[in-house]
Amino acid sequence: MTVAIGVIGTGMIGTSHIRRITGSLSGARISAVTDADLAVAKQVAEDLPDAEVFDTGQALIGSGRVDAVLVTSWGPTHEEFVLAAIAAGKPVFCEKPLATTADACRRIIAAEVAADRRLVQVGFMRRYDAAYRRLKAEIESGALGAPLIYYSAHRNPAVPSTYTREMAIVDTAVHDFDIARWLLGEELVAIRVVPAKPNSLGNGLQDPLLMIVETESGALVNVETSVNIRYGYDIRGEAVGEKGTATLAGPARVPADWRERFTPAFDTELQEWIDAIASGAEPAGPSSWDGYAATVVCDAGVKSLDTLDRVPVVLGAKPALYERSVR
Ligand code: NAP
């Protein structure tokens, strides 16, 4: 089966995913596109032999031309499209964030639980990076003993002038929160944000930030965001266990930006999603629950940035549907 994918949002990451699906991945084709700016969608469709342009995301989701939906529009629109895909019974890959509020994430979870079927996968692509997969295997082998601390550095060379201090948490550290949950196999239960001396290259932005995050078992996750570090896009990780440490393997040289660092991970992420759909399996990647958990940690982080207090992360009970997640 060739999976017919409809893409909602043909901006930067949407067109990048379209290129990888048509250029380097197998088992799928782009059958439909839409964008808030239809002229942009039409331009993108010109290079796609089989893609119809739809006026709205809702119309695209309802079309018989579409087997599965790729949501790559602006974050606040994600809830509407993910809910519509669930209602239509179609698998949906939603770029992060799953939704911009915890309540919206809960509505998505309720709809998926009611359908009693995992239809949603969230775009936390780090889980598909070969180095992160090796680090997880090392932790799970038991060779380090119980993990005590995970250090996660997230450094960007520069950010646009529209980047706000909250974005260091909701757009940047969100990836570190997800990967820490996945590596350690635990929920995060509290966060405290500590601003460092501001980088003078940051035009007054409160940057860097350190975040001290607690896990259920009492281990700590130390996240650093530095978004004006100039020298490149530098992602680091180190797990410290009771009897050993393991470091995230990095590329031979520091990449210029995130695309260079994570292109193979994006490829693997979407290929595994396509393969699961083609075989009729539930997606095994990051679930609605994972998207929800990341959003709740972000909300607590933003609150802590304002108050400088330790803020608890309260998730509530995890529905049984998400225990089926295997990756
Ligand atoms: P972008 O370049 O602004 O693209 C978003 C596109 O969606 C724009 O063309 C926008 O049109 C369109 N859009 C907005 N509302 C829409 C609607 N209701 N229906 C259809 N199209 C709509 O943004 P981006 O950088 O690609 O980011 C898109 C999403 O991907 C964001 O949620 C972002 O966080 C996520 N992302 C994830 C990663 C990752 O590391 N996994 C990396 C980059 C981005 P207009 O411009 O006309 O509004």
Side-chain angles (χ1 to χ4, degrees), residues 9 11-13 35-36 72-73 77-78 95-97 123 125 175 258:
M12 191 267 298
I13 196 92
D35 193 273
T72 47
S73 51
T77 67
H78 290 182
E95 261 306 341
K96 64 89 186 159
M125 77 296 179
H175 284 290
W258 57 274

Side-chain angles (χ1 to χ4, degrees), residues 208-228:
L209 298 177
L210 279 186
M211 301 167 211
I212 300 163
V213 192
E214 299 163 34
T215 75
E216 286 168 297
S217 73
L220 294 181
V221 177
N222 185 340
V223 177
E224 171 203 326
T225 55
S226 294
V227 298
N228 288 288

